[in-house]
Structure formats: C-alpha cells, structure tokens
Amino acid sequence: MADSTSRFAPIIAGVRAIYGNGSIPLHRPVFEGNERQYLVDCIDSNFVSSVGAKVTEFEQRIVAFTGIPYAVATVNGTAALHVALQLAGVGRDAAVITQALTFIATCNAIRYCGAHPVFIDVDRDTLGLSPEALRRFLARHAEHRHGQTVDKTSGRRLAACVPMHTFGHPCRIEEIVALCAEYGLPVVEDAAESLGSTVGSRHTGGFGRLGVLSFNGNKIITTGGGGMILTEDTDLAARAKHLTTTAKLPHPYEFVHDEVGYNYRLPNLNAALGCAQMERLPEMLAIKAAIAARYAALFATLGIPFIQALPGATTNSWLNAILFDSLAERDAFLDYSNAQGVMTRPIWRLMNRLTMYADCQHDGLENSIWLEERVVNIPSSVPDGALPSMTP
Ligand SMILES: Cc1ncc(COP(=O)(O)O)c(C=O)c1O
C-alpha cells in the first residue's frame, strides 16, 4: 500500500489546494444569491404549489439560457424523462436503446412506460452512448416492418434512443441523432447532468426530439427537486404541459381531465429557488471551468487520465472524473480518499448488473465494463466563499 499512498497523496493534496482542509463533499449546492428573497416572495404571495409566476419565469430563464424554444418544468428529472418518453411514442412492450453506464433514473423512466431498455456501449472518451456501437447494433438488429422499426431478435418495436451526457460531458450527439434519423428513431436526450454544456453553438438537450434536465440537489444548479422537458416542437411542448398538469382542461372552476395525466408540475417554491440559481449560472460555469482547468493541469503532471469535453464541445464540468489503471487501484483510491475525508465515488454500477435490468438485451458493453472498473468522481463543488478568485 506504500506505493499507492505515494501515488494517491498528490491527488489529495491537489483537491485540498482547491477546497481546503476538513471534510470535502463530492458536490454541494450553493445558495449565495436571491434564493431566500424569492422564497419569501413566494410564501407572501400564497402561491407555493404548482401554479405561480416563478414556474413560468424559471421556464423562460431556461429557454433564454439554452436557446431551446420550449421548456416545461417538472417535479424532477425522472418525471421529465417519463413524460418525454411517452411523448416520443414509447409505450408498453417497446424497446428503447440507452446506455448501461447511466444513473438508474434513465432506465426506470423507460420501465415506467412498460418498455424494455436495450443497452448499447459507450465511448471511452465521452462516457456517453457510442455512435459506432449504435450503428453496429442497428445494422445487425433493426428492420423496417409495416412502417415501424423493429428489433429482429426480440421482435419488439424500437421506439426511441436515449443517450446521456455523462457528468456534463456531451456525448457524440450529432452523430447519434443523424443515425437515429436513418432508422426513424426519435431521440430523447437525457441532459439531466449537462445544463450549460454545448456542442458547437447548441445546448445539449436540444438535439433530440425532446430533452430533459434535472435540478436535483447534487446538480450544477438546484431547485431542491426539479426537472425540465425541452423541445423545439410547439405541439410536443403543449402536450408536455398538459400531461404534467393532470391533463386538466382549462376552466375557471370545473375539474375536467381528458386523459390520464400526472401531477408532475414543479411547485412555485422550487421554481423560486431555480430563478435565483439561474441568475448565478454563468458565474458558476466559469468557476467550474476554472476548477476543471486546475484539475486538468494536476492530472497531466501525474499522468492520470482526466475526462474532458471533445473538441468542438464544452462541458459544464459538473462532476470531474479521473481514470485509474485497474479495479484494484480504483478501489484502493476510493478507500484512501474517503478515509481522509475527501469524498470520492465510483461511477454507477452498470444497469444490467441490477436485478431489475439483468435480463435486458445488450451488446457486450466492452467499454462500459472497462470504464466501470476505472472511473472515479472527485470533489467538484463551487468552493465556499472563493467564487471571485476562482473565476478565470
Ligand atoms: C443521468 C440522469 N438522468 C436522470 C436523472 C433524474 O433526475 P432527478 O433526480 O431529478 O429525478 C438524473 C439525476 O438525478 C441523472 O443523473
């Protein structure tokens, strides 16, 4: 262990140079703007639930920031995914292509629709769905039958593809969208982690037919709990709002609902937090970029691969990640760093290893397994009170 200690100590020193002594969390929220004021405004207005001016304002702020024409606020990112998948046409017994290297919500939302995830491999550099692996899978499995794309092996309709921008790093979304278009597959982009990340001049979440964001407490900005459905399609946006507000027909006092909808609308209180957080987002992104640049320099010196955005893309640097040489080294580092109060964690266990998804079809997942054994997230919060000095 002496060897690994000498290799790991400079990493811990580098983390402490940014975050100081004491216990360091992986990612914590920052409430240093108008959060309190907007919450009080909300309470004073009596509009604390899912009707209120802050919900609309928060949606408008997301539209203005991302440049994606429509944004519909939901109670969380999982609910946003659930409804986005339905709107993309995912229904019972369909198959939905996604990555096994993702957070559980991606798969759960597919299952809520009664559909079956199909796991395709990721790229080692982006940690996101691999267009090459997708092309191989579709060439081997997809067949056009009666106006539908069907998986020849399972006999299931291939209803959608859900790529995910892991830790904020954009996947090769343009290639994925182009490929899916060849096969008539709608793309639902899981951009839960990538608010602020772009490919070319376009924001992630805006490439697919629909995209989703999350504002969970661990994300780059938070509403406590919250999510957003993104789309440039006027009709889909209207359907998203209708389905997430119990499918209630507008009326001053009657309760008439025209389908089975969901109580998924974001409460005004949460949206109030979101509005205040959005005011600080550009500053947060600059600080996150500065932290990532410091880490990149450190890990270049140490010869440890540090995950970064592809050329032509920008990452929000939400959660920084490094790669170890082996599972044994990864585990030794996790033990070492956490014992010292520096919180680190491995990437998610592959979805097909979990009981609920163990039977799902997959393509062998070579890169996903390789990454699962090596990736570690390191502290990535905006440091306490150090905002101006971190701005590049
Ligand atoms: C990749 C991914 N998808 C979906 C979600 C679901 O978001 P939420 O926690 O807001 O339901 C999250 C985050 O939590 C996520 O990281």
PDB file of all heavy atoms in Angstrom, residues 76-78 81 102-103 105-106 164 190 192-193 214 216 219 226, ligand 1:
ATOM      1  N   ASN A  76     -39.259  16.571 -11.012  1.00  0.00           N
ATOM      2  CA  ASN A  76     -37.866  16.106 -11.033  1.00  0.00           C
ATOM      3  C   ASN A  76     -37.503  15.636 -12.437  1.00  0.00           C
ATOM      4  O   ASN A  76     -38.362  15.614 -13.333  1.00  0.00           O
ATOM      5  CB  ASN A  76     -37.603  15.003  -9.975  1.00  0.00           C
ATOM      6  CG  ASN A  76     -38.554  13.833 -10.113  1.00  0.00           C
ATOM      7  OD1 ASN A  76     -38.729  13.285 -11.203  1.00  0.00           O
ATOM      8  ND2 ASN A  76     -39.176  13.445  -9.014  1.00  0.00           N
ATOM      9  N   GLY A  77     -36.257  15.283 -12.605  1.00  0.00           N
ATOM     10  CA  GLY A  77     -35.778  14.867 -13.921  1.00  0.00           C
ATOM     11  C   GLY A  77     -36.358  13.535 -14.348  1.00  0.00           C
ATOM     12  O   GLY A  77     -36.577  13.292 -15.541  1.00  0.00           O
ATOM     13  N   THR A  78     -36.604  12.651 -13.384  1.00  0.00           N
ATOM     14  CA  THR A  78     -37.164  11.332 -13.712  1.00  0.00           C
ATOM     15  C   THR A  78     -38.561  11.500 -14.301  1.00  0.00           C
ATOM     16  O   THR A  78     -38.902  10.843 -15.301  1.00  0.00           O
ATOM     17  CB  THR A  78     -37.224  10.445 -12.443  1.00  0.00           C
ATOM     18  OG1 THR A  78     -35.973  10.527 -11.771  1.00  0.00           O
ATOM     19  CG2 THR A  78     -37.530   9.011 -12.787  1.00  0.00           C
ATOM     20  N   LEU A  81     -38.302  12.727 -17.778  1.00  0.00           N
ATOM     21  CA  LEU A  81     -37.958  11.635 -18.700  1.00  0.00           C
ATOM     22  C   LEU A  81     -39.175  10.760 -19.001  1.00  0.00           C
ATOM     23  O   LEU A  81     -39.396  10.362 -20.151  1.00  0.00           O
ATOM     24  CB  LEU A  81     -36.886  10.749 -18.068  1.00  0.00           C
ATOM     25  CG  LEU A  81     -35.429  11.037 -18.387  1.00  0.00           C
ATOM     26  CD1 LEU A  81     -34.534  10.146 -17.547  1.00  0.00           C
ATOM     27  CD2 LEU A  81     -35.119  10.830 -19.870  1.00  0.00           C
ATOM     28  N   THR A 102     -25.219   4.566 -16.782  1.00  0.00           N
ATOM     29  CA  THR A 102     -26.024   5.751 -16.516  1.00  0.00           C
ATOM     30  C   THR A 102     -26.575   5.657 -15.101  1.00  0.00           C
ATOM     31  O   THR A 102     -26.468   4.626 -14.443  1.00  0.00           O
ATOM     32  CB  THR A 102     -27.174   5.899 -17.544  1.00  0.00           C
ATOM     33  OG1 THR A 102     -27.861   7.138 -17.306  1.00  0.00           O
ATOM     34  CG2 THR A 102     -28.185   4.767 -17.465  1.00  0.00           C
ATOM     35  N   PHE A 103     -27.199   6.751 -14.674  1.00  0.00           N
ATOM     36  CA  PHE A 103     -27.910   6.736 -13.393  1.00  0.00           C
ATOM     37  C   PHE A 103     -29.230   5.983 -13.590  1.00  0.00           C
ATOM     38  O   PHE A 103     -29.824   6.032 -14.668  1.00  0.00           O
ATOM     39  CB  PHE A 103     -28.147   8.189 -12.945  1.00  0.00           C
ATOM     40  CG  PHE A 103     -28.926   8.302 -11.667  1.00  0.00           C
ATOM     41  CD1 PHE A 103     -28.438   7.765 -10.491  1.00  0.00           C
ATOM     42  CD2 PHE A 103     -30.153   8.953 -11.645  1.00  0.00           C
ATOM     43  CE1 PHE A 103     -29.165   7.871  -9.313  1.00  0.00           C
ATOM     44  CE2 PHE A 103     -30.881   9.072 -10.472  1.00  0.00           C
ATOM     45  CZ  PHE A 103     -30.379   8.521  -9.297  1.00  0.00           C
ATOM     46  N   ALA A 105     -32.251   6.438 -13.056  1.00  0.00           N
ATOM     47  CA  ALA A 105     -33.481   7.112 -13.497  1.00  0.00           C
ATOM     48  C   ALA A 105     -33.732   6.923 -14.993  1.00  0.00           C
ATOM     49  O   ALA A 105     -34.882   6.831 -15.425  1.00  0.00           O
ATOM     50  CB  ALA A 105     -33.391   8.607 -13.187  1.00  0.00           C
ATOM     51  N   THR A 106     -32.668   6.872 -15.783  1.00  0.00           N
ATOM     52  CA  THR A 106     -32.832   6.708 -17.230  1.00  0.00           C
ATOM     53  C   THR A 106     -33.599   5.419 -17.509  1.00  0.00           C
ATOM     54  O   THR A 106     -34.563   5.393 -18.284  1.00  0.00           O
ATOM     55  CB  THR A 106     -31.439   6.664 -17.920  1.00  0.00           C
ATOM     56  OG1 THR A 106     -30.571   7.613 -17.325  1.00  0.00           O
ATOM     57  CG2 THR A 106     -31.553   6.904 -19.413  1.00  0.00           C
ATOM     58  N   MET A 164     -27.111   9.806 -23.044  1.00  0.00           N
ATOM     59  CA  MET A 164     -26.974  10.614 -21.823  1.00  0.00           C
ATOM     60  C   MET A 164     -25.615  11.328 -21.835  1.00  0.00           C
ATOM     61  O   MET A 164     -24.625  10.734 -22.260  1.00  0.00           O
ATOM     62  CB  MET A 164     -27.092   9.675 -20.609  1.00  0.00           C
ATOM     63  CG  MET A 164     -27.411  10.361 -19.301  1.00  0.00           C
ATOM     64  SD  MET A 164     -25.970  10.969 -18.456  1.00  0.00           S
ATOM     65  CE  MET A 164     -25.400   9.492 -17.614  1.00  0.00           C
ATOM     66  N   ASP A 190     -31.098  12.577 -22.535  1.00  0.00           N
ATOM     67  CA  ASP A 190     -31.017  12.716 -21.081  1.00  0.00           C
ATOM     68  C   ASP A 190     -29.886  13.705 -20.782  1.00  0.00           C
ATOM     69  O   ASP A 190     -28.717  13.320 -20.682  1.00  0.00           O
ATOM     70  CB  ASP A 190     -30.785  11.357 -20.420  1.00  0.00           C
ATOM     71  CG  ASP A 190     -30.841  11.453 -18.903  1.00  0.00           C
ATOM     72  OD1 ASP A 190     -30.735  12.581 -18.377  1.00  0.00           O
ATOM     73  OD2 ASP A 190     -30.993  10.407 -18.241  1.00  0.00           O
ATOM     74  N   ALA A 192     -29.865  15.513 -18.087  1.00  0.00           N
ATOM     75  CA  ALA A 192     -30.063  15.791 -16.654  1.00  0.00           C
ATOM     76  C   ALA A 192     -28.826  16.424 -16.024  1.00  0.00           C
ATOM     77  O   ALA A 192     -28.934  17.264 -15.134  1.00  0.00           O
ATOM     78  CB  ALA A 192     -30.420  14.502 -15.921  1.00  0.00           C
ATOM     79  N   GLU A 193     -27.633  16.015 -16.498  1.00  0.00           N
ATOM     80  CA  GLU A 193     -26.391  16.442 -15.850  1.00  0.00           C
ATOM     81  C   GLU A 193     -25.684  17.564 -16.613  1.00  0.00           C
ATOM     82  O   GLU A 193     -24.608  17.982 -16.210  1.00  0.00           O
ATOM     83  CB  GLU A 193     -25.461  15.221 -15.739  1.00  0.00           C
ATOM     84  CG  GLU A 193     -26.139  14.064 -15.013  1.00  0.00           C
ATOM     85  CD  GLU A 193     -25.258  12.840 -14.833  1.00  0.00           C
ATOM     86  OE1 GLU A 193     -24.148  12.812 -15.380  1.00  0.00           O
ATOM     87  OE2 GLU A 193     -25.707  11.913 -14.128  1.00  0.00           O
ATOM     88  N   SER A 214     -32.252  17.949 -15.032  1.00  0.00           N
ATOM     89  CA  SER A 214     -32.579  17.713 -13.615  1.00  0.00           C
ATOM     90  C   SER A 214     -32.011  18.853 -12.780  1.00  0.00           C
ATOM     91  O   SER A 214     -30.924  19.370 -13.063  1.00  0.00           O
ATOM     92  CB  SER A 214     -31.976  16.392 -13.132  1.00  0.00           C
ATOM     93  OG  SER A 214     -31.962  16.356 -11.714  1.00  0.00           O
ATOM     94  N   ASN A 216     -31.896  18.381  -9.310  1.00  0.00           N
ATOM     95  CA  ASN A 216     -31.704  17.730  -8.017  1.00  0.00           C
ATOM     96  C   ASN A 216     -30.608  18.476  -7.226  1.00  0.00           C
ATOM     97  O   ASN A 216     -29.786  19.167  -7.829  1.00  0.00           O
ATOM     98  CB  ASN A 216     -31.289  16.273  -8.271  1.00  0.00           C
ATOM     99  CG  ASN A 216     -31.236  15.479  -6.990  1.00  0.00           C
ATOM    100  OD1 ASN A 216     -30.184  15.362  -6.367  1.00  0.00           O
ATOM    101  ND2 ASN A 216     -32.365  14.986  -6.572  1.00  0.00           N
ATOM    102  N   LYS A 219     -27.012  18.712  -8.514  1.00  0.00           N
ATOM    103  CA  LYS A 219     -26.707  19.165  -9.876  1.00  0.00           C
ATOM    104  C   LYS A 219     -26.060  20.564  -9.875  1.00  0.00           C
ATOM    105  O   LYS A 219     -25.940  21.193  -8.832  1.00  0.00           O
ATOM    106  CB  LYS A 219     -27.992  19.177 -10.720  1.00  0.00           C
ATOM    107  CG  LYS A 219     -28.584  17.793 -10.941  1.00  0.00           C
ATOM    108  CD  LYS A 219     -27.659  16.897 -11.738  1.00  0.00           C
ATOM    109  CE  LYS A 219     -28.260  15.546 -12.082  1.00  0.00           C
ATOM    110  NZ  LYS A 219     -28.512  14.662 -10.948  1.00  0.00           N
ATOM    111  N   GLY A 226     -36.386  18.921  -8.969  1.00  0.00           N
ATOM    112  CA  GLY A 226     -36.975  19.591 -10.133  1.00  0.00           C
ATOM    113  C   GLY A 226     -36.412  19.042 -11.424  1.00  0.00           C
ATOM    114  O   GLY A 226     -35.351  18.407 -11.433  1.00  0.00           O
TER     115      GLY A 226
HETATM  116  C1  LIG B   1     -28.431  10.867 -15.928  1.00  0.00           C
HETATM  117  C2  LIG B   1     -29.591  11.231 -15.067  1.00  0.00           C
HETATM  118  N1  LIG B   1     -30.825  11.007 -15.529  1.00  0.00           N
HETATM  119  C3  LIG B   1     -31.907  11.328 -14.802  1.00  0.00           C
HETATM  120  C4  LIG B   1     -31.778  11.865 -13.549  1.00  0.00           C
HETATM  121  C5  LIG B   1     -33.022  12.080 -12.769  1.00  0.00           C
HETATM  122  O1  LIG B   1     -33.161  13.310 -12.234  1.00  0.00           O
HETATM  123  P1  LIG B   1     -33.932  13.519 -10.832  1.00  0.00           P
HETATM  124  O2  LIG B   1     -33.021  13.072  -9.753  1.00  0.00           O
HETATM  125  O3  LIG B   1     -34.187  14.976 -10.838  1.00  0.00           O
HETATM  126  O4  LIG B   1     -35.192  12.723 -10.901  1.00  0.00           O
HETATM  127  C6  LIG B   1     -30.501  12.131 -13.031  1.00  0.00           C
HETATM  128  C7  LIG B   1     -30.231  12.760 -11.726  1.00  0.00           C
HETATM  129  O5  LIG B   1     -30.547  12.619 -10.682  1.00  0.00           O
HETATM  130  C8  LIG B   1     -29.377  11.781 -13.804  1.00  0.00           C
HETATM  131  O6  LIG B   1     -28.146  11.978 -13.337  1.00  0.00           O
END
